[in-house]
Amino acid sequence: MTLDDLGLVEALRDMLHNWRDDSRKLIGNGILVGDFTGLADTLQVTVYRVVQECTTNCVRHAEASHVRVEVKREKQFIKVHCNR
């Protein structure tokens, strides 16, 4: 399934809840806060890619055994927080 098929919220949930490391161990967890409806397609793709890159970097460079991502929409801002 893709971002186009699922929409931003479900695509992010799918990615984070199915994220696995090289040993196939489940390591992703995500929290989505706010209303993400009505975002322009380009912004949805940008948010998805930023979360994907943050998660990948935590796993590859910080050797995280678990990654927690919070995506929060507040008025005119979208905040992405990723930690291990």
Side-chain angles (χ1 to χ4, degrees):
M1 301 300 276
T2 66
L3 178 59
D4 290 336
D5 296 330
L6 297 173
L8 179 62
V9 171
E10 289 304 316
L12 287 172
R13 283 187 181 137
D14 184 63
M15 174 179 52
L16 293 170
H17 289 238
N18 292 301
W19 195 272
R20 297 178 187 275
D21 65 8
D22 292 337
S23 68
R24 306 300 300 152
K25 178 182 168 192
L26 185 63
I27 59 171
N29 184 21
I31 298 173
L32 306 171
V33 179
D35 182 10
F36 292 89
T37 59
L39 292 178
D41 290 346
T42 54
L43 186 53
Q44 289 185 43
V45 170
T46 301
V47 171
Y48 185 86
R49 296 292 185 209
V50 165
V51 171
Q52 188 177 47
E53 187 68 16
C54 288
T55 307
T56 300
N57 287 344
C58 279
V59 172
R60 285 189 185 156
H61 303 297
E63 299 177 1
S65 60
H66 183 79
V67 178
R68 182 177 181 273
V69 178
E70 181 177 338
V71 182
K72 187 174 186 180
R73 183 174 184 188
E74 296 179 346
K75 298 182 184 180
Q76 298 179 3
F77 301 96
I78 296 176
K79 297 179 182 180
V80 177
H81 181 78
C82 184
N83 65 359
R84 59 183 182 106

